[in-house]
Amino acid sequence: ARLTGLPPAARAADSGTAVVEQIIGIADGDGAAAPTRWLRVSSHPVPGADGRPEAVVSSVTDISAIKSMERDLNVALDAKERFMAAASHDLRQPAQALTLLSGLLLKEPIPEEARRIAVQLRDTAASLGGLLDCLLDISKLEAGLVTPHAAPVEVGAIMERLHGEFQAVAASSGLTLRTVPARLSANTDGGLLERVLRNLLTNAIRYTPLGRVLFGARRRGGALRFEVWDTGIGIPENQLDRIFQDFYQIGNAARDRWEGLGMGLSIARRLVHMLGGTIEVTSVPGKGSCFAVTLPPGAVLEQRHCGGAPDGDSSSGNREPDGDATVLLVEDDAVIRMALGLMLDGWGYRVTEAGSVAEALELVDGTLVPDLVLTDYRLPDGDTGLMLMDTLRRRFGPDLPGVLLTGDTSSDRLREAAGAQCALLHKPIQPDDLRRTVRTSLDQRDQEGEAM
């Protein structure tokens, strides 16, 4: 083995403190094929009667096996990420088709029995989309693509919006949902916080056969604490820590797909930690549970009156489009392209369809001047939607709006898409989300044009 710099024993003697250093040793044999041996050298000074080091005890530990396991683990994690990305993309294509086609079918005048089947089909597609979203969330978190953006948010508005969303769900299960909004404003990422609270409310209602759910918030010192109480089945003490593990669910040994993947609390804990807060649970089996999310001290900004309008304009997706916008739709899957085209046409847009970059550029070489480009990420012949957007923006200007559709959850693809100047939607796409995104992209183009 070869050491660089002052040996650990000498440094331990000079500093009077223990020194641990990992060094690389080359086993017998020369050349790049020779195996690498990893050694850890530990040196501990032995003090004399005057307290000064009079000797140094050194030990050498072969940690090659540990390093080998770390290398194998990294290889396995990389293979897992690539597998999840490929599987997620391949599954999202048919899931997208199911979502769009079931939505179109329900708009048709069909017999009541067929309508019930179509509703079941739509709900099944939505369930599949939810499972794929969990895979996407895991990839985003592991890739470091989720970054909190703190801003002042009205806590009461978030809580009232969630109450309106879950009140009917609780009532349909025979439960009472009571919400006590906090008259507070907080400095945090409102979107991530709302997502965490939505997950806790979903679980509370799912695991409460009878009784009620209480949703409230309060100030605790300089911190802000949200609590979701339920009178549900409760959680055994020996499982309180395990419920935050990936894929762990209480009472779902059969892995019923309608009960989800068991990733909700795991993702919620990750998001809470990103917000600088903590999440904890107390529970009594057979009597109920309390999940609490505490934001860090200093998150509370001021006392506010609750009852204000929720953040954002939830009705924006229902406004009628102007009807004078031309959309270039580029999607290689013929079924999905047809469904998207019918939806855009039903919203009043003029739609021109293409199945590849070559077809799209051929249309543009004619008389087509698009107001917005809606394109899939992966296209035939190794092309991508980002390559198409770059070409079209060089021709029509950098302000040409683009909406990118992707079912790819790999870290590299997510980073590349996140850096593009396009709106991004992940398959399977819900019609309301698509309609809102298209309208928002066109509105932003108009606003930028007026400002120039």
Side-chain angles (χ1 to χ4, degrees), residues 114-257:
R115 181 168 297 277
R116 284 195 294 269
I117 296 175
V119 169
Q120 292 177 342
L121 175 63
R122 180 199 62 192
D123 293 343
T124 300
S127 176
L128 175 60
L131 299 182
L132 293 174
D133 285 342
C134 284
L135 297 179
L136 173 63
D137 291 338
I138 296 170
S139 295
K140 281 185 174 181
L141 291 169
E142 292 182 349
L145 292 177
V146 180
T147 304
H149 298 285
V153 295
E154 291 193 20
V155 173
I158 292 178
M159 297 181 69
E160 288 179 339
R161 181 161 58 246
L162 290 172
H163 178 83
E165 177 180 336
F166 283 95
Q167 186 177 28
V169 178
S172 66
S173 299
L175 305 175
T176 300
L177 172 62
R178 182 187 177 192
T179 300
V180 184
R183 300 188 299 274
L184 299 170
S185 181
N187 185 48
T188 188
D189 189 311
L192 296 184
L193 174 62
E194 185 170 338
R195 184 172 176 183
V196 171
L197 298 176
R198 178 178 287 108
N199 174 273
L200 297 185
L201 287 169
T202 298
N203 277 0
I205 293 174
R206 175 182 296 168
Y207 295 108
T208 304
L210 296 171
R212 63 187 183 278
V213 174
L214 174 63
F215 176 35
R218 54 180 172 166
R219 187 198 302 261
R220 175 174 287 184
L224 179 59
R225 180 181 174 92
F226 296 87
E227 297 179 353
V228 177
W229 295 79
D230 66 65
T231 58
I233 61 176
I235 306 167
E237 185 175 357
N238 62 355
Q239 298 186 41
L240 289 177
D241 291 333
R242 299 181 64 188
I243 61 174
F244 293 102
Q245 297 176 3
D246 293 349
F247 305 111
Y248 185 80
Q249 289 178 297
I250 294 176
N252 190 22
R255 306 300 301 164
D256 184 350
R257 73 181 188 275

Side-chain angles (χ1 to χ4, degrees), residues 278-299:
T278 59
I279 183 170
E280 55 189 292
V281 57
T282 56
S283 184
V284 178
K287 294 187 177 180
S289 305
C290 173
F291 284 83
V293 172
T294 303
L295 297 185

